[in-house]
Amino acid sequence: MTSDDNDATRRQPTEIEIRDLHKSFGATEVLRGIDLQVTPGEVVCVIGPSGSGKSTLLRCINLLEEPSRGRIVVAGTDITDPDVDIDAARRRIGMVFQQFNLFPHLTVSGNLVLPQRRVLGRDKRTADRVARENLRRVALTDKADAYPAQLSGGQQQRVAIARALAMDPRVMLFDEPTSALDPELVGDVLAVMRSLAADGMTMVVVTHEMSFAREVADRVVFMDEGRVVEQGPAAQVVGSPRHERTRDFLTRVLDPAASKL
């Protein structure tokens, strides 16, 4: 992005603001000064090779990993403030992982109702209604009484998305949500995410699905070795990247047979 682009981004209201974010595990520095702003309703896809720090970035945004240095503001709350109520802050952030993390002993409906009652304090009637509404959003109303083991991987991931949505988040984080799925199941999950984007949900998505990034993202961020190498509109970064490292990565992802060994 040019300096004018960066200035324009700073002038817009932000739902997520990250400044000089660093994260180390022992002597290994995984994030090396990340600056990133996400505006309300924006869909940002983060791409890059394995080990580039993408998942660590997401985990820092809701403090599943504590940053070594830097500042993160989500929905107006500085979650890196030592005095922050992190449980309250996390209620504004929905996160969907590679694995589904559903409770196997609960029905689909139970998986959506339990967090609402325990974390948000909703009564059973309200929690049941919200569960039904969000199962409808992921096209799984007919599976409300099923158990996770009775569902396909794609269906389980859609339940995980519905569970996150049931908590009324301001922001949704997706950590490679289709990477554990069989290829034929990926489309249904991506369709749900497209619908959320169309509804105006603020989303940060770590993904290897380049077609999704190109079609749905407002902005694509390419990371390598813990840094943001390039960012910009999806059509530019995926279709006509400016940085040589981005071009090399996309060549390997989009046309593996053409990559040099």
Side-chain angles (χ1 to χ4, degrees):
M1 298 178 74
T2 66
S3 59
D4 289 342
D5 292 333
N6 285 326
D7 289 343
T9 300
R10 292 190 189 102
R11 286 194 295 270
Q12 296 176 17
T14 57
E15 199 79 319
I16 301 173
E17 182 170 1
I18 300 170
R19 295 290 184 191
D20 193 31
L21 179 63
H22 291 254
K23 175 61 182 177
S24 296
F25 295 98
T28 303
E29 191 173 19
V30 178
L31 298 178
R32 307 181 182 192
I34 300 292
D35 291 312
L36 183 66
Q37 295 80 44
V38 181
T39 59
E42 188 177 20
V43 178
V44 175
C45 282
V46 183
I47 64 173
S50 298
S52 59
K54 307 183 300 298
S55 294
T56 300
L57 171 63
L58 285 195
R59 293 174 67 84
C60 284
I61 292 175
N62 65 359
L63 288 193
L64 290 176
E65 298 289 354
E66 185 175 350
S68 302
R69 188 167 87 239
R71 185 168 183 257
I72 303 173
V73 178
V74 179
T77 298
D78 184 350
I79 67 170
T80 48
D81 185 330
D83 297 324
V84 72
D85 182 343
I86 189 55
D87 290 331
R90 282 191 181 128
R91 290 171 197 157
R92 303 177 180 182
I93 307 169
M95 188 157 182
V96 179
F97 300 87
Q98 296 177 30
Q99 302 299 327
F100 323 123
N101 298 326
L102 301 177
F103 294 114
H105 64 290
L106 296 179
T107 64
V108 165
S109 180
N111 268 277
L112 271 67
V113 167
L114 181 64
Q116 295 182 67
R117 300 202 68 191
R118 288 197 175 175
V119 178
L120 301 181
R122 286 176 176 159
D123 61 78
K124 188 176 187 304
R125 183 176 180 180
T126 300
D128 283 337
R129 175 181 56 79
V130 172
R132 288 194 303 272
E133 289 173 355
N134 284 288
L135 286 174
R136 177 186 55 77
R137 295 177 76 179
V138 301
L140 285 175
T141 52
D142 60 326
K143 300 296 184 181
D145 296 326
Y147 287 86
Q150 298 172 306
L151 306 179
S152 70
Q155 290 171 331
Q156 290 186 61
Q157 190 63 291
R158 285 151 59 196
V159 172
I161 294 172
R163 179 180 58 185
L165 292 172
M167 305 299 285
D168 296 332
R170 291 272 297 267
V171 171
M172 284 285 286
L173 309 177
F174 293 86
D175 187 7
E176 298 191 27
T178 60
S179 65
L181 302 180
D182 292 335
E184 63 184 11
L185 302 176
V186 169
D188 289 341
V189 173
L190 294 182
V192 169
M193 294 170 66
R194 286 187 177 92
S195 176
L196 294 179
D199 289 343
M201 174 63 72
T202 305
M203 298 163 58
V204 181
V205 183
V206 170
T207 185
H208 288 300
E209 300 289 342
M210 293 302 116
S211 61
F212 176 84
R214 185 170 10 217
E215 295 167 16
V216 179
D218 298 297
R219 185 155 42 102
V220 170
V221 175
F222 173 67
M223 288 182 61
D224 189 35
E225 297 183 345
R227 295 184 174 91
V228 172
V229 175
E230 181 171 355
Q231 63 175 305
Q236 179 258 302
V237 174
V238 178
S240 184
R242 297 170 180 169
H243 197 282
E244 181 179 355
R245 181 66 185 93
T246 315
R247 290 195 296 270
D248 178 66
F249 170 77
L250 288 170
T251 296
R252 294 174 181 274
V253 170
L254 297 174
D255 190 6
S259 302
K260 295 180 180 179
L261 295 177

